[in-house]
Amino acid sequence: MSAYIEPIRFAFLTFPFIAFLFTLPYIFHQYHKYGSVLFFRVTIIYSFILYLTCIYFLVILPLPSIESVRNMTTEWVQLVPFAFIRDFVLKSSFIWDDPSTYLEVLKEPYFYQAFYNILLTLPFGIYLRYYFNCSFKKTFFCTFLLTLFFELTQLSGLYGIYPRPYRLFDVDDLFLNTLGGIIGYAITPIFSHFLPNREKLDTLSYIKGKRISVLRRGMAVWIDLFLVSLLTTLFVMLGVENIFLQYVFSVIVIFMIVPTVRKGYTCGKKWMNIKIVTINDEVPCWYQYFIRYGILYLFLLPAPYYFIFFVSLLNHLSRHLKLVFWIVVLGFLFFSCIMFFHFLITLFTKKLFWYEKMSATKNSSTIEVEECEES
């Protein structure tokens, strides 16, 4: 039993790192498709990832030394179909007319190895039918491909790391694992009866997506700022040497020209199903984008740059002008602190930011709840 527990323990230790790599793409996809991230859906997906991690490590662990594998002389391929039945009948202690052997045989490898092979992919069939809405044929095909991947992983000596396979490629494993997926598919209604179906989850996601969360809004900004950085690099290649001018040009293109042309969408907001509209839910005029994003990205965001620039001018000022300068700087810092705290308060109270009020614009979700009824 420890041979099974140790790979599962290692999978649980590895899972946080795998989940971390998966999280950002998953969030992007969920916001793009539904406009929200549903906790129950997240639980299903991450449990599915954990399950796949567990069965993968069950297939490859424990890892022997390369030297011990090089010295192996055991067979590495078993191509006789249903050999496990022959071994069970001939080598196990099972006697069909002796009930006392029934429990004893459960402890023997001729039974539990075949049973565990079925159990290995049984949850896979459940996931495919319950969450991914796979048909019987698709479940059969996907389960077969999964177990074929496992068997080829063993046959390749863990993708060539070992000089020869350290585990047996067994055609019976293909059959038993595929059978496990089919059984999982068959018993799914027992579990899905107590859980919300996929259509219900989609409906809840779309309804939740009508509201724009802080994270969803932040992801849109992240995409747009990433594009700003790419465009800045392009301006450098074109010979624009001034860093501030590179940034200003990039902001004007991404946050002002693009939404003007695309009727309220920046690239990031388009991906996140968010649109800039007026207070009356109409398409803004071009100057409203300049007011909105000019305040945000040409005044507030580069404020530290302005401060550093002003400080660099100190050596060129007279004593009296330095006093005036520091008064201006302190006033600027005080104003920036007020704007920062106003930003935090507004962010969590769902009210309009002051730059939104000045530009008479707001964010609007473009998610349509009716879409879920067609899926």
Side-chain angles (χ1 to χ4, degrees), residues 14-74:
T14 311
F15 172 71
F17 301 98
I18 299 175
F20 175 77
L21 295 175
F22 175 79
T23 294
L24 191 60
Y26 177 73
I27 291 176
F28 274 124
H29 174 265
Q30 290 296 295
Y31 277 131
H32 175 65
K33 186 173 183 179
Y34 302 107
S36 65
V37 179
L38 205 62
F39 177 77
F40 188 75
R41 191 192 297 275
V42 171
T43 302
I44 294 174
I45 293 298
Y46 277 84
S47 66
F48 183 58
I49 295 173
L50 177 59
Y51 159 71
L52 291 178
T53 305
C54 287
I55 61 175
Y56 179 75
F57 284 127
L58 282 168
V59 168
I60 69 169
L61 297 180
L63 296 177
S65 66
I66 294 180
E67 187 62 29
S68 65
V69 173
R70 184 177 289 112
N71 296 329
M72 283 183 175
T73 58
T74 56

Side-chain angles (χ1 to χ4, degrees), residues 33 46 173 286 298:
K33 186 173 183 179
Y46 277 84
D173 289 348
W286 65 268
L298 297 182

Side-chain angles (χ1 to χ4, degrees), residues 71-85:
N71 296 329
M72 283 183 175
T73 58
T74 56
E75 293 184 356
W76 47 274
V77 173
Q78 197 292 110
L79 299 177
V80 180
F82 307 109
F84 73 97
I85 297 178

Side-chain angles (χ1 to χ4, degrees), residues 17 22 45 89 93 147 157 160 196 207 228 266 270 276 312 361 372:
F17 301 98
F22 175 79
I45 293 298
V89 173
S93 60
T147 186
I207 292 174
V228 166
T266 65
K270 179 64 176 178
I276 300 298
S312 67
T361 60
C372 64

Side-chain angles (χ1 to χ4, degrees), residues 219-373:
M219 299 293 270
V221 171
W222 188 90
I223 293 174
D224 288 328
L225 289 179
F226 176 73
L227 295 176
V228 166
S229 67
L230 293 180
L231 196 56
T232 300
T233 303
L234 178 61
F235 282 128
V236 172
M237 296 173 62
L238 293 176
V240 181
E241 298 181 356
N242 188 288
I243 297 177
F244 185 69
L245 287 180
Q246 297 166 6
Y247 171 76
V248 170
F249 290 156
S250 300
V251 166
I252 290 175
V253 171
I254 299 299
F255 290 103
M256 300 174 189
I257 295 178
V258 170
T260 299
V261 174
R262 303 188 67 183
K263 307 297 183 182
Y265 290 108
T266 65
C267 296
K269 290 186 183 298
K270 179 64 176 178
W271 182 264
M272 291 294 156
N273 290 294
I274 302 173
K275 186 178 183 180
I276 300 298
V277 297
T278 65
I279 301 301
N280 299 322
D281 295 320
E282 298 175 350
V283 177
C285 297
W286 65 268
Y287 63 85
Q288 291 177 284
Y289 301 118
F290 279 73
I291 296 174
R292 176 188 178 93
Y293 289 118
I295 293 173
L296 186 58
Y297 293 108
L298 297 182
F299 177 71
L300 292 180
L301 192 62
Y305 173 85
Y306 297 142
F307 178 76
I308 295 172
F309 175 76
F310 289 144
V311 170
S312 67
L313 298 176
L314 274 175
N315 295 330
H316 306 285
L317 299 177
S318 64
R319 185 176 62 180
H320 297 292
L321 289 177
K322 285 183 180 180
L323 178 62
V324 175
F325 169 81
W326 281 114
I327 294 175
V328 173
V329 168
L330 291 176
F332 177 78
L333 291 177
F334 179 72
F335 177 75
S336 299
C337 290
I338 293 176
M339 290 299 100
F340 176 74
F341 285 112
H342 175 269
F343 176 82
L344 293 180
I345 294 172
T346 306
L347 190 65
F348 293 102
T349 55
K350 310 298 182 182
K351 296 180 179 179
L352 292 179
F353 294 103
W354 63 279
Y355 64 86
E356 292 180 310
K357 294 179 180 179
M358 290 183 64
S359 62
T361 60
K362 63 179 181 178
N363 286 297
S364 177
S365 176
T366 58
I367 290 293
E368 295 293 337
V369 179
E370 290 78 15
E371 292 178 15
C372 64
E373 299 174 356

Side-chain angles (χ1 to χ4, degrees), residues 151-163:
E151 293 302 312
L152 292 178
T153 296
Q154 296 175 341
L155 184 63
S156 65
L158 198 56
Y159 320 117
I161 295 176
Y162 289 94

